Amino acid sequence: METYGMILNGEVRVAANAFDVLNPVTEEVAGRASACSVAQLEEAMTSSAQAFRAWSADEGARREALRTGATLLAQAAEKIGPVLTMEQGKPIAQAIEEVYAAAAWIGYYAELERPRQLVRDDATGHIEVFRRPMGVVAAITPWNFPVGLATWKIGPALRAGNTMVLKPSPFTPLATVLMGEVLAEALPPGVLNVVTGDDVLGASMVSHPVPRKVSFTGSVQTGKRVAQAAALDLKRVTLELGGNDAAIVLEGTAPDQIAEAIFGGAFANAGQICSAIKRIYAHRSIVDDLTDELADRARSIVVGDGMDPATQMGPINNAPQYERVRLLVARALKNGAVAVAGGGPLDRPGYFMAPTILRNVQEGDPVVDEEQFGPVLPVMAFDDVDEAVRRANGTTFGLSGSVWSNDPDHAAEIAARLSCGTAWVNTHLALAPDLPFGGVKWSGIGVENGPWGLEEFTDIQLLHVARQSAAVVTGREA
Ligand code: NAD
């Protein structure tokens, strides 16, 4: 069985120890990943620190390298896609699409124009705000979109002039290493190191003295640990954490016209998306019809091995997550919930749950209160809109949410009342490289994507060249 290397100082390097990466369809080994040693992490940090000086000095060269990297990554999509499917479980077409999207994200940051931020240029002086790179970024990613989410960090951080040590999840390290290998052809050595290992390796990166910034995507629980560890060194953090997104479906909305989009918003990637729809509040007058529409789709979607082109939904990625989703559903059913579709594991090997639509369930049940992160959707009724907004906001999460209606203006007013980073109307999961994405409350700190995401990888430096001795603003000048 092949052991994948890591990307250290521009080279592919296999470690002395390795760990198994399982295929969630077969529960068999899909490949072996290098277990980064203490010395190899040192090498990664040192080479990223050394690369920083030249990399941060030449923006034109950075843009060119990222442009080339994006092109090479797109060319490698058909090669990386199957590895992603085998370790992650998602259907092959979606895995290939993820690599293309990753390339588009890097390409976006190669092309992004960064206008000068001139504050004042007059007889008194020249005042300009610069955005300076921070140095080495420690980037840590989860297992649901390992390639895509890594480029949400690589693109902006590198474009801003930082270098990076990136660690993917131990459940899905292989495609990330392949991506690192491809990008190494375009980037100077040390600009992007990719190390693989367990959670302890992630913690070692956060507490390591070299990185000035930690960009983390993962669970709330780990995010809090990362924030605590980073605080000891006052490292800056961007935390993209979990969500428990509500979709509110207003009275008068035709269920058959929105069911497809809502189903996709909840069940894409087998529900393993931070900003997937995880709870539905539908007006009582339409909740039964909407449930039927969703249940029809849950029963007919083709679930199976992502390598089979007919498959539309794969398994849950790993055993602990499968166990968690299985228990959440079992507990809800025990508490009186009704599974209108699905309701338990599929009778086959692998981490497969039947796509599940639950009714007769509400707040107080963990399947509603917690982030299920799997192919399970509770559908609840509401009677008035204030109640729906209150219930949608009644959570420690605040990633995104959506409101569905045939009156988009009215829906937009309600969406604006949601306590979350993204409020959609008549859509969900509409993500793009130029749109800021981030959570409030426990869903995170800071944003990714767009110019806002790039700024998270910078410090402000004010340059003030005085031409007259600067007057202190007292407010009494007039
Ligand atoms: P996780 O928190 O278990 O792990 C994420 C990463 O952190 C992994 O690489 C892991 O090895 C590493 N890690 C674990 N302990 C660490 C520590 N103490 N210090 C540093 N690193 C550590 O999350 P997961 O189970 O891989 O991913 C699922 C979670 O990610 C869900 O909650 C999901 O909502 C969230 N997520 C959020 C976003 C977003 O953009 N907001 C996107 C995707 C996933």
Side-chain angles (χ1 to χ4, degrees), residues 5-7 22 36-37 87 129 177 182 292 331 357 365 369 471:
M6 302 183 289
I7 311 303
L22 301 187
C36 184
S37 69
E87 66 178 349
V129 170
V177 166
V182 168
D292 289 345
R331 180 148 37 147
I357 305 285
D365 191 302
D369 295 348

Side-chain angles (χ1 to χ4, degrees), residues 169-314:
S169 164
F171 292 114
T172 55
L174 306 179
T176 307
V177 166
L178 291 185
M179 171 175 67
E181 198 177 333
V182 168
L183 294 177
E185 289 174 41
L187 301 172
V191 167
L192 176 65
N193 287 294
V194 183
V195 294
T196 51
D198 59 11
D199 297 352
V200 175
L201 178 64
S204 310
M205 289 165 63
V206 178
S207 59
H208 196 281
V210 162
R212 291 311 313 147
K213 163 88 188 182
V214 180
S215 180
F216 171 84
T217 304
S219 62
V220 169
Q221 200 184 17
T222 311
K224 288 181 178 178
R225 280 197 206 112
V226 167
Q228 277 180 321
L232 294 176
D233 189 30
L234 286 183
K235 288 180 171 61
R236 278 48 173 173
V237 290
T238 297
L239 303 174
E240 292 289 355
L241 309 179
N244 192 7
D245 287 17
I248 298 176
V249 186
L250 300 181
E251 188 176 9
T253 314
D256 59 334
Q257 283 172 25
I258 56 163
E260 190 70 25
I262 290 198
F263 186 81
F267 288 88
N269 211 40
Q272 303 164 114
I273 305 185
C274 51
S275 52
I277 297 173
K278 296 186 178 129
R279 301 173 282 158
I280 291 195
Y281 297 100
H283 190 264
R284 196 172 296 281
S285 60
I286 53 167
V287 69
D288 289 339
D289 289 347
L290 180 62
T291 304
D292 289 345
E293 293 280 349
L294 294 171
D296 282 349
R297 287 165 174 82
R299 284 185 213 106
S300 60
I301 190 169
V302 182
V303 183
D305 184 346
M307 292 306 284
D308 178 346
T311 294
Q312 295 171 308
M313 195 179 103

Side-chain angles (χ1 to χ4, degrees), residues 27 90 124 132 138 147 239 296 312 335 344 352 361 366-367 463 478:
E27 302 171 56
K90 65 185 67 189
T124 62
R132 295 173 63 100
V147 175
L239 303 174
D296 282 349
Q312 295 171 308
N335 290 345
F352 285 98
V361 60
V367 83
L463 176 73

